[in-house]
Amino acid sequence: RKEVEQDPGPFNVPEGATVAFNCTYSNSASQSFFWYRQDCRKEPKLLMSVYSSGNEDGRFTAQLNRASQYISLLIRDSKLSDSATYLCVVNEGNQGGKLIFGQGTELSVKP
Amino acid sequence: DTEVTQTPKHLVMGMTNKKSLKCEQHMGHRAMYWYKQKAKKPPELMFVYSYEKLSINESVPSRFSPECPNSSLLNLHLHALQPEDSALYLCASSQFSGSTDTQYFGPGTRLTVL
């Protein structure tokens, strides 16, 4: 079983659609959770940290369910500029800063 | 400001060349990282420096040699690379190398080995 698993994608959606990404992690002792966004041939950029209480930033909402070891990202009213690969990232907390990356889910928003 | 800079942006080298990648941050971060990323794959950790000391080496071949001259700078020295080492090399930094510290990535160096 992979340490961090994401929906394989790609997701092709029209502008204005709501899209949800799912991610599961295998280590129940994991400490912190993130969604990064990576545009083609660019570096990963932090989109959101994810907390058990859930957090929202404009059109983006992230949720963490520690009992189910599940992380989600919801994008509402998707824009063309949201097209990117979304990486689910976990810090297991006992490996000196090592991040565990999911394989990424590619999103393509079409006009 | 969460900026990490990397030079050069692109590098083409032969298998017998020696070159270096450079990374700099001025956020006062005490942890710095090197990652390698192949196309359509997530980044893979290579090295972690914490307080200018190497704390993690993910069994990286010795043709890659990291160096941390001071708390703001991180180098990756390359020698006798193979074509399969062609990839995007990303540097990142975080305040500390702890369990909740957010890592910020530089723009990367796209390396081609001929």
Side-chain angles (χ1 to χ4, degrees), chain B residues 6-17:
Chain B
Q6 289 187 243
T7 55
K9 285 188 174 14
H10 300 275
L11 179 62
V12 178
M13 59 187 289
M15 290 190 283
T16 58
N17 292 156

Side-chain angles (χ1 to χ4, degrees), chain A residues 27-101:
Chain A
N27 185 344
S28 60
S30 295
Q31 297 286 313
S32 54
F33 310 88
F34 309 91
W35 284 102
Y36 279 77
R37 169 202 168 121
Q38 187 169 25
D39 292 278
C40 187
R41 300 180 71 81
K42 299 282 190 182
E43 75 274 25
K45 292 195 174 176
L46 179 69
L47 183 64
M48 305 176 80
S49 299
V50 191
Y51 307 108
S52 296
S53 54
N55 45 313
E56 186 173 317
D57 182 4
R59 298 181 293 109
F60 299 83
T61 301
Q63 294 278 355
L64 167 65
N65 184 321
R66 282 191 182 270
S68 303
Q69 295 176 213
Y70 170 85
I71 307 161
S72 66
L73 176 68
L74 187 74
I75 305 176
R76 290 180 298 278
D77 187 24
S78 53
K79 312 288 185 194
L80 297 177
S81 57
D82 294 333
S83 298
T85 295
Y86 290 81
L87 294 161
C88 177
V89 183
V90 173
N91 186 327
E92 295 185 335
N94 60 352
Q95 298 192 56
K98 180 176 178 178
L99 296 179
I100 312 297
F101 288 81

Side-chain angles (χ1 to χ4, degrees), chain B residues 40-103:
Chain B
K40 302 284 190 187
K41 298 287 187 185
E44 297 173 25
L45 182 67
M46 300 174 73
F47 303 103
V48 180
Y49 272 82
S50 179
Y51 288 88
E52 298 151 57
K53 295 204 183 310
L54 183 65
S55 57
I56 294 179
N57 176 341
E58 289 284 290
S59 303
V60 178
S62 59
R63 57 186 184 269
F64 295 91
S65 175
E67 178 198 18
C68 189
N70 60 54
S71 59
S72 301
L73 289 173
L74 186 66
N75 298 323
L76 186 64
H77 303 297
L78 314 173
H79 174 55
L81 294 193
Q82 304 296 310
E84 60 265 27
D85 296 322
S86 299
L88 180 67
Y89 287 84
L90 293 160
C91 175
S93 72
S94 61
Q95 188 169 16
F96 305 107
S97 59
S99 60
T100 58
D101 292 290
T102 301
Q103 291 184 27

